[in-house]
Amino acid sequence: MYRFKSVFLSIVALAAALPYAPARAELMLHPTRLVFEKNQRAAQIELINNGTQPATYRISVVNRRMTEGGQFEAADTPNPDERFADAMLRFSPRQVTLQPGTAQTVRVMLRKPADLADGEYRSHLQFEKLPDADGADSINRQAPGASGIGVVLNALVGASVPVIVRQGTTSAQVSLAGLALDAAASKEPTLQLRFERAGSSSVYGDVAVSFTPQGGQPQTLAQVGGIAVYTPNRTRQAALPLQVPVGVRLAHGQLTVVYRERVDAGGAVLAQAHLDLP
């Protein structure tokens, strides 16, 4: 009799990443982040099953820490300069089963203590897909006639939405630094840059990169949505792949990077920087 080992592959999409979870967009969330400000005490998220099979999701609040590279890692206890929001958040329901093409509203409530210190607090609302009871998520990798250990892959899709609570007066400033073009012939050109944040709150917006040749018109090379620098981080490194039109050389001109608020937040420019290319 064969022995089978279950390997669970969880794909977690984050607030600073793409608008929706990538794996065939089976899990869709709207909005992809919640921000409680002033006297706001309630908000909601629409959880949508865009797949072809029923799916069950368990919902929980977790704490995560952003690395300088923009990834998230579990944060069991806060560092001295971190503020988590988990103790102030209540939500309902805690588990949902969705048929294909259906949606569920998840309500999130905020309960602030009377002596809450000014500043920004953040935790994440996690949506974890549970294995199907009939094994529909499983893929049997055991070769016919083989002996030994087989592998069953359970591809479980999940997503995580940042929930931000701002108490009192908060503000942030951001600048772009360290621009450098990596144009190795063996790969697509990449723009390296660094976000530098100051202040008491996080920043969040979209990035656009354009190239203006000498005497020519600007051409858009990259557009990336939803880039955040969360407190308490002061910097975030990024590498933006550039889509260069056929026949265009990245020389004798200028690269321009614009970081601006999302359109639904007003679209104001948060930071801008240039790189001259000889």
Side-chain angles (χ1 to χ4, degrees):
M1 180 178 296
Y2 301 134
R3 292 186 298 121
F4 292 91
K5 182 185 296 181
S6 293
V7 180
F8 294 92
L9 305 179
S10 296
I11 304 171
V12 179
L14 302 176
L18 300 176
Y20 297 111
R24 294 188 300 163
E26 291 181 355
L27 172 62
M28 300 180 68
L29 299 170
H30 180 77
T32 56
R33 67 200 301 264
L34 294 178
V35 181
F36 287 91
E37 296 183 287
K38 299 179 180 179
N39 295 322
Q40 183 180 357
R41 292 293 184 271
Q44 63 185 40
I45 294 176
E46 292 295 321
L47 172 63
I48 305 166
N49 179 5
N50 200 39
T52 59
Q53 300 293 328
T56 299
Y57 294 92
R58 178 184 295 136
I59 307 167
S60 61
V61 173
V62 298
N63 294 320
R64 293 204 168 100
R65 181 174 297 124
M66 174 178 272
T67 68
E68 192 175 81
Q71 293 79 34
F72 283 96
E73 58 186 21
D76 297 328
T77 57
N79 290 331
D81 53 356
E82 285 181 316
R83 295 184 174 100
F84 295 150
D86 54 332
M88 297 182 281
L89 300 176
R90 304 291 184 271
F91 59 93
S92 178
R94 293 180 176 271
Q95 183 168 308
V96 298
T97 298
L98 296 177
Q99 297 300 315
T102 63
Q104 169 72 50
T105 297
V106 178
R107 293 175 173 81
V108 183
M109 288 69 70
L110 173 66
R111 297 180 181 177
K112 292 183 183 180
D115 58 349
L116 186 65
D118 288 356
E120 182 173 285
Y121 301 75
R122 174 176 50 85
S123 291
H124 292 249
L125 198 62
Q126 178 171 279
F127 300 83
E128 177 189 3
K129 186 180 180 183
L130 302 182
D132 291 345
D134 59 2
D137 288 321
S138 300
I139 305 173
N140 187 355
R141 297 299 186 187
Q142 178 69 38
S147 61
I149 297 176
V151 177
V152 177
L153 298 181
N154 295 276
L156 306 180
V157 180
S160 176
V161 172
V163 182
I164 295 170
V165 178
R166 290 176 179 151
Q167 172 72 3
T169 300
T170 60
S171 63
Q173 304 80 44
V174 63
S175 60
L176 304 175
L179 274 67
L181 179 64
D182 183 357
S186 60
K187 60 181 181 180
E188 61 184 353
T190 300
L191 180 64
Q192 307 284 340
L193 73 156
R194 182 174 64 256
F195 296 81
E196 298 184 344
R197 185 196 64 83
S200 56
S201 66
S202 59
V203 292
Y204 182 72
D206 301 336
V207 170
V209 181
S210 62
F211 173 65
T212 306
Q214 291 178 359
Q217 297 297 315
Q219 303 180 61
T220 299
L221 304 185
Q223 291 182 308
V224 183
I227 293 184
V229 185
Y230 288 119
T231 59
N233 296 43
R234 294 296 179 183
T235 62
R236 174 175 175 176
Q237 301 286 345
L240 307 180
L242 304 180
Q243 300 296 320
V244 182
V246 176
V248 173
R249 292 183 61 248
L250 296 182
H252 309 299
Q254 186 179 73
L255 285 174
T256 299
V257 185
V258 179
Y259 182 46
R260 64 174 70 241
E261 293 177 339
R262 310 215 78 177
V263 174
D264 56 7
V269 173
L270 299 172
Q272 184 170 311
H274 305 278
L275 176 62
D276 293 324
L277 301 179

mmCIF file with all atom_site columns, all heavy atoms in Angstrom, residues 94-110:
data_model
loop_
_atom_site.group_PDB
_atom_site.id
_atom_site.type_symbol
_atom_site.label_atom_id
_atom_site.label_alt_id
_atom_site.label_comp_id
_atom_site.label_asym_id
_atom_site.label_entity_id
_atom_site.label_seq_id
_atom_site.pdbx_PDB_ins_code
_atom_site.Cartn_x
_atom_site.Cartn_y
_atom_site.Cartn_z
_atom_site.occupancy
_atom_site.B_iso_or_equiv
_atom_site.pdbx_formal_charge
_atom_site.auth_seq_id
_atom_site.auth_comp_id
_atom_site.auth_asym_id
_atom_site.auth_atom_id
_atom_site.pdbx_PDB_model_num
ATOM 1   N N   . ARG A 1 94  ? -17.162 34.298 10.601 1.00 0.00 ? 94  ARG A N   1
ATOM 2   C CA  . ARG A 1 94  ? -15.797 33.797 10.745 1.00 0.00 ? 94  ARG A CA  1
ATOM 3   C C   . ARG A 1 94  ? -15.484 32.668 9.762  1.00 0.00 ? 94  ARG A C   1
ATOM 4   O O   . ARG A 1 94  ? -14.324 32.295 9.620  1.00 0.00 ? 94  ARG A O   1
ATOM 5   C CB  . ARG A 1 94  ? -15.557 33.324 12.183 1.00 0.00 ? 94  ARG A CB  1
ATOM 6   C CG  . ARG A 1 94  ? -15.591 34.475 13.180 1.00 0.00 ? 94  ARG A CG  1
ATOM 7   C CD  . ARG A 1 94  ? -15.352 34.018 14.589 1.00 0.00 ? 94  ARG A CD  1
ATOM 8   N NE  . ARG A 1 94  ? -15.309 35.164 15.494 1.00 0.00 ? 94  ARG A NE  1
ATOM 9   C CZ  . ARG A 1 94  ? -14.209 35.843 15.791 1.00 0.00 ? 94  ARG A CZ  1
ATOM 10  N NH1 . ARG A 1 94  ? -13.059 35.471 15.256 1.00 0.00 ? 94  ARG A NH1 1
ATOM 11  N NH2 . ARG A 1 94  ? -14.246 36.876 16.604 1.00 0.00 ? 94  ARG A NH2 1
ATOM 12  N N   . GLN A 1 95  ? -16.497 32.150 9.111  1.00 0.00 ? 95  GLN A N   1
ATOM 13  C CA  . GLN A 1 95  ? -16.295 31.132 8.085  1.00 0.00 ? 95  GLN A CA  1
ATOM 14  C C   . GLN A 1 95  ? -17.457 31.191 7.117  1.00 0.00 ? 95  GLN A C   1
ATOM 15  O O   . GLN A 1 95  ? -18.608 31.365 7.533  1.00 0.00 ? 95  GLN A O   1
ATOM 16  C CB  . GLN A 1 95  ? -16.172 29.735 8.712  1.00 0.00 ? 95  GLN A CB  1
ATOM 17  C CG  . GLN A 1 95  ? -15.886 28.625 7.701  1.00 0.00 ? 95  GLN A CG  1
ATOM 18  C CD  . GLN A 1 95  ? -15.489 27.324 8.378  1.00 0.00 ? 95  GLN A CD  1
ATOM 19  O OE1 . GLN A 1 95  ? -14.582 27.295 9.207  1.00 0.00 ? 95  GLN A OE1 1
ATOM 20  N NE2 . GLN A 1 95  ? -16.164 26.230 8.019  1.00 0.00 ? 95  GLN A NE2 1
ATOM 21  N N   . VAL A 1 96  ? -17.151 31.067 5.823  1.00 0.00 ? 96  VAL A N   1
ATOM 22  C CA  . VAL A 1 96  ? -18.200 31.128 4.805  1.00 0.00 ? 96  VAL A CA  1
ATOM 23  C C   . VAL A 1 96  ? -17.949 30.058 3.759  1.00 0.00 ? 96  VAL A C   1
ATOM 24  O O   . VAL A 1 96  ? -16.801 29.692 3.486  1.00 0.00 ? 96  VAL A O   1
ATOM 25  C CB  . VAL A 1 96  ? -18.260 32.515 4.121  1.00 0.00 ? 96  VAL A CB  1
ATOM 26  C CG1 . VAL A 1 96  ? -18.599 33.595 5.121  1.00 0.00 ? 96  VAL A CG1 1
ATOM 27  C CG2 . VAL A 1 96  ? -16.946 32.838 3.413  1.00 0.00 ? 96  VAL A CG2 1
ATOM 28  N N   . THR A 1 97  ? -19.041 29.537 3.197  1.00 0.00 ? 97  THR A N   1
ATOM 29  C CA  . THR A 1 97  ? -18.968 28.644 2.047  1.00 0.00 ? 97  THR A CA  1
ATOM 30  C C   . THR A 1 97  ? -19.679 29.320 0.891  1.00 0.00 ? 97  THR A C   1
ATOM 31  O O   . THR A 1 97  ? -20.853 29.699 1.009  1.00 0.00 ? 97  THR A O   1
ATOM 32  C CB  . THR A 1 97  ? -19.617 27.284 2.342  1.00 0.00 ? 97  THR A CB  1
ATOM 33  O OG1 . THR A 1 97  ? -18.902 26.645 3.407  1.00 0.00 ? 97  THR A OG1 1
ATOM 34  C CG2 . THR A 1 97  ? -19.582 26.388 1.112  1.00 0.00 ? 97  THR A CG2 1
ATOM 35  N N   . LEU A 1 98  ? -18.968 29.482 -0.218 1.00 0.00 ? 98  LEU A N   1
ATOM 36  C CA  . LEU A 1 98  ? -19.510 30.210 -1.360 1.00 0.00 ? 98  LEU A CA  1
ATOM 37  C C   . LEU A 1 98  ? -19.648 29.286 -2.566 1.00 0.00 ? 98  LEU A C   1
ATOM 38  O O   . LEU A 1 98  ? -18.704 28.565 -2.919 1.00 0.00 ? 98  LEU A O   1
ATOM 39  C CB  . LEU A 1 98  ? -18.593 31.382 -1.734 1.00 0.00 ? 98  LEU A CB  1
ATOM 40  C CG  . LEU A 1 98  ? -18.436 32.496 -0.703 1.00 0.00 ? 98  LEU A CG  1
ATOM 41  C CD1 . LEU A 1 98  ? -17.439 33.534 -1.200 1.00 0.00 ? 98  LEU A CD1 1
ATOM 42  C CD2 . LEU A 1 98  ? -19.772 33.150 -0.404 1.00 0.00 ? 98  LEU A CD2 1
ATOM 43  N N   . GLN A 1 99  ? -20.802 29.329 -3.196 1.00 0.00 ? 99  GLN A N   1
ATOM 44  C CA  . GLN A 1 99  ? -20.986 28.659 -4.460 1.00 0.00 ? 99  GLN A CA  1
ATOM 45  C C   . GLN A 1 99  ? -20.317 29.487 -5.567 1.00 0.00 ? 99  GLN A C   1
ATOM 46  O O   . GLN A 1 99  ? -20.071 30.677 -5.399 1.00 0.00 ? 99  GLN A O   1
ATOM 47  C CB  . GLN A 1 99  ? -22.479 28.487 -4.760 1.00 0.00 ? 99  GLN A CB  1
ATOM 48  C CG  . GLN A 1 99  ? -23.210 27.613 -3.763 1.00 0.00 ? 99  GLN A CG  1
ATOM 49  C CD  . GLN A 1 99  ? -22.649 26.206 -3.688 1.00 0.00 ? 99  GLN A CD  1
ATOM 50  O OE1 . GLN A 1 99  ? -22.386 25.585 -4.726 1.00 0.00 ? 99  GLN A OE1 1
ATOM 51  N NE2 . GLN A 1 99  ? -22.449 25.690 -2.484 1.00 0.00 ? 99  GLN A NE2 1
ATOM 52  N N   . PRO A 1 100 ? -19.986 28.879 -6.694 1.00 0.00 ? 100 PRO A N   1
ATOM 53  C CA  . PRO A 1 100 ? -19.345 29.644 -7.779 1.00 0.00 ? 100 PRO A CA  1
ATOM 54  C C   . PRO A 1 100 ? -20.166 30.868 -8.172 1.00 0.00 ? 100 PRO A C   1
ATOM 55  O O   . PRO A 1 100 ? -21.385 30.801 -8.312 1.00 0.00 ? 100 PRO A O   1
ATOM 56  C CB  . PRO A 1 100 ? -19.280 28.632 -8.926 1.00 0.00 ? 100 PRO A CB  1
ATOM 57  C CG  . PRO A 1 100 ? -19.280 27.304 -8.258 1.00 0.00 ? 100 PRO A CG  1
ATOM 58  C CD  . PRO A 1 100 ? -20.144 27.455 -7.040 1.00 0.00 ? 100 PRO A CD  1
ATOM 59  N N   . GLY A 1 101 ? -19.480 32.004 -8.302 1.00 0.00 ? 101 GLY A N   1
ATOM 60  C CA  . GLY A 1 101 ? -20.133 33.223 -8.740 1.00 0.00 ? 101 GLY A CA  1
ATOM 61  C C   . GLY A 1 101 ? -20.914 33.954 -7.666 1.00 0.00 ? 101 GLY A C   1
ATOM 62  O O   . GLY A 1 101 ? -21.595 34.938 -7.964 1.00 0.00 ? 101 GLY A O   1
ATOM 63  N N   . THR A 1 102 ? -20.823 33.524 -6.412 1.00 0.00 ? 102 THR A N   1
ATOM 64  C CA  . THR A 1 102 ? -21.560 34.189 -5.345 1.00 0.00 ? 102 THR A CA  1
ATOM 65  C C   . THR A 1 102 ? -20.605 34.983 -4.454 1.00 0.00 ? 102 THR A C   1
ATOM 66  O O   . THR A 1 102 ? -19.390 34.802 -4.489 1.00 0.00 ? 102 THR A O   1
ATOM 67  C CB  . THR A 1 102 ? -22.345 33.189 -4.491 1.00 0.00 ? 102 THR A CB  1
ATOM 68  O OG1 . THR A 1 102 ? -21.427 32.301 -3.834 1.00 0.00 ? 102 THR A OG1 1
ATOM 69  C CG2 . THR A 1 102 ? -23.304 32.389 -5.355 1.00 0.00 ? 102 THR A CG2 1
ATOM 70  N N   . ALA A 1 103 ? -21.187 35.854 -3.627 1.00 0.00 ? 103 ALA A N   1
ATOM 71  C CA  . ALA A 1 103 ? -20.397 36.746 -2.775 1.00 0.00 ? 103 ALA A CA  1
ATOM 72  C C   . ALA A 1 103 ? -20.931 36.723 -1.350 1.00 0.00 ? 103 ALA A C   1
ATOM 73  O O   . ALA A 1 103 ? -22.076 36.347 -1.105 1.00 0.00 ? 103 ALA A O   1
ATOM 74  C CB  . ALA A 1 103 ? -20.423 38.170 -3.330 1.00 0.00 ? 103 ALA A CB  1
ATOM 75  N N   . GLN A 1 104 ? -20.077 37.142 -0.428 1.00 0.00 ? 104 GLN A N   1
ATOM 76  C CA  . GLN A 1 104 ? -20.439 37.242 0.978  1.00 0.00 ? 104 GLN A CA  1
ATOM 77  C C   . GLN A 1 104 ? -19.849 38.528 1.542  1.00 0.00 ? 104 GLN A C   1
ATOM 78  O O   . GLN A 1 104 ? -18.685 38.840 1.318  1.00 0.00 ? 104 GLN A O   1
ATOM 79  C CB  . GLN A 1 104 ? -19.891 36.059 1.766  1.00 0.00 ? 104 GLN A CB  1
ATOM 80  C CG  . GLN A 1 104 ? -19.998 36.195 3.285  1.00 0.00 ? 104 GLN A CG  1
ATOM 81  C CD  . GLN A 1 104 ? -21.430 36.061 3.770  1.00 0.00 ? 104 GLN A CD  1
ATOM 82  O OE1 . GLN A 1 104 ? -22.129 35.121 3.408  1.00 0.00 ? 104 GLN A OE1 1
ATOM 83  N NE2 . GLN A 1 104 ? -21.878 37.009 4.594  1.00 0.00 ? 104 GLN A NE2 1
ATOM 84  N N   . THR A 1 105 ? -20.651 39.282 2.260  1.00 0.00 ? 105 THR A N   1
ATOM 85  C CA  . THR A 1 105 ? -20.170 40.496 2.914  1.00 0.00 ? 105 THR A CA  1
ATOM 86  C C   . THR A 1 105 ? -19.615 40.141 4.286  1.00 0.00 ? 105 THR A C   1
ATOM 87  O O   . THR A 1 105 ? -20.289 39.492 5.093  1.00 0.00 ? 105 THR A O   1
ATOM 88  C CB  . THR A 1 105 ? -21.299 41.524 3.068  1.00 0.00 ? 105 THR A CB  1
ATOM 89  O OG1 . THR A 1 105 ? -21.761 41.913 1.763  1.00 0.00 ? 105 THR A OG1 1
ATOM 90  C CG2 . THR A 1 105 ? -20.810 42.764 3.808  1.00 0.00 ? 105 THR A CG2 1
ATOM 91  N N   . VAL A 1 106 ? -18.382 40.551 4.536  1.00 0.00 ? 106 VAL A N   1
ATOM 92  C CA  . VAL A 1 106 ? -17.762 40.391 5.847  1.00 0.00 ? 106 VAL A CA  1
ATOM 93  C C   . VAL A 1 106 ? -17.733 41.759 6.515  1.00 0.00 ? 106 VAL A C   1
ATOM 94  O O   . VAL A 1 106 ? -17.174 42.708 5.968  1.00 0.00 ? 106 VAL A O   1
ATOM 95  C CB  . VAL A 1 106 ? -16.338 39.827 5.733  1.00 0.00 ? 106 VAL A CB  1
ATOM 96  C CG1 . VAL A 1 106 ? -15.689 39.724 7.112  1.00 0.00 ? 106 VAL A CG1 1
ATOM 97  C CG2 . VAL A 1 106 ? -16.368 38.467 5.056  1.00 0.00 ? 106 VAL A CG2 1
ATOM 98  N N   . ARG A 1 107 ? -18.363 41.867 7.662  1.00 0.00 ? 107 ARG A N   1
ATOM 99  C CA  . ARG A 1 107 ? -18.450 43.141 8.373  1.00 0.00 ? 107 ARG A CA  1
ATOM 100 C C   . ARG A 1 107 ? -17.345 43.221 9.416  1.00 0.00 ? 107 ARG A C   1
ATOM 101 O O   . ARG A 1 107 ? -17.126 42.261 10.164 1.00 0.00 ? 107 ARG A O   1
ATOM 102 C CB  . ARG A 1 107 ? -19.821 43.308 9.011  1.00 0.00 ? 107 ARG A CB  1
ATOM 103 C CG  . ARG A 1 107 ? -20.932 43.463 7.976  1.00 0.00 ? 107 ARG A CG  1
ATOM 104 C CD  . ARG A 1 107 ? -22.320 43.518 8.591  1.00 0.00 ? 107 ARG A CD  1
ATOM 105 N NE  . ARG A 1 107 ? -23.328 43.821 7.596  1.00 0.00 ? 107 ARG A NE  1
ATOM 106 C CZ  . ARG A 1 107 ? -23.851 42.935 6.762  1.00 0.00 ? 107 ARG A CZ  1
ATOM 107 N NH1 . ARG A 1 107 ? -23.467 41.673 6.820  1.00 0.00 ? 107 ARG A NH1 1
ATOM 108 N NH2 . ARG A 1 107 ? -24.758 43.300 5.866  1.00 0.00 ? 107 ARG A NH2 1
ATOM 109 N N   . VAL A 1 108 ? -16.675 44.348 9.455  1.00 0.00 ? 108 VAL A N   1
ATOM 110 C CA  . VAL A 1 108 ? -15.573 44.566 10.386 1.00 0.00 ? 108 VAL A CA  1
ATOM 111 C C   . VAL A 1 108 ? -15.929 45.741 11.289 1.00 0.00 ? 108 VAL A C   1
ATOM 112 O O   . VAL A 1 108 ? -16.304 46.814 10.805 1.00 0.00 ? 108 VAL A O   1
ATOM 113 C CB  . VAL A 1 108 ? -14.258 44.852 9.641  1.00 0.00 ? 108 VAL A CB  1
ATOM 114 C CG1 . VAL A 1 108 ? -13.101 44.998 10.625 1.00 0.00 ? 108 VAL A CG1 1
ATOM 115 C CG2 . VAL A 1 108 ? -13.967 43.747 8.628  1.00 0.00 ? 108 VAL A CG2 1
ATOM 116 N N   . MET A 1 109 ? -15.852 45.524 12.596 1.00 0.00 ? 109 MET A N   1
ATOM 117 C CA  . MET A 1 109 ? -16.170 46.568 13.577 1.00 0.00 ? 109 MET A CA  1
ATOM 118 C C   . MET A 1 109 ? -14.928 46.943 14.369 1.00 0.00 ? 109 MET A C   1
ATOM 119 O O   . MET A 1 109 ? -14.091 46.092 14.660 1.00 0.00 ? 109 MET A O   1
ATOM 120 C CB  . MET A 1 109 ? -17.261 46.092 14.536 1.00 0.00 ? 109 MET A CB  1
ATOM 121 C CG  . MET A 1 109 ? -18.668 46.008 13.911 1.00 0.00 ? 109 MET A CG  1
ATOM 122 S SD  . MET A 1 109 ? -18.870 44.693 12.690 1.00 0.00 ? 109 MET A SD  1
ATOM 123 C CE  . MET A 1 109 ? -18.804 43.231 13.747 1.00 0.00 ? 109 MET A CE  1
ATOM 124 N N   . LEU A 1 110 ? -14.837 48.213 14.715 1.00 0.00 ? 110 LEU A N   1
ATOM 125 C CA  . LEU A 1 110 ? -13.691 48.733 15.467 1.00 0.00 ? 110 LEU A CA  1
ATOM 126 C C   . LEU A 1 110 ? -14.149 49.185 16.842 1.00 0.00 ? 110 LEU A C   1
ATOM 127 O O   . LEU A 1 110 ? -15.131 49.923 16.971 1.00 0.00 ? 110 LEU A O   1
ATOM 128 C CB  . LEU A 1 110 ? -13.056 49.909 14.712 1.00 0.00 ? 110 LEU A CB  1
ATOM 129 C CG  . LEU A 1 110 ? -11.945 50.669 15.434 1.00 0.00 ? 110 LEU A CG  1
ATOM 130 C CD1 . LEU A 1 110 ? -10.728 49.783 15.641 1.00 0.00 ? 110 LEU A CD1 1
ATOM 131 C CD2 . LEU A 1 110 ? -11.563 51.925 14.645 1.00 0.00 ? 110 LEU A CD2 1
#
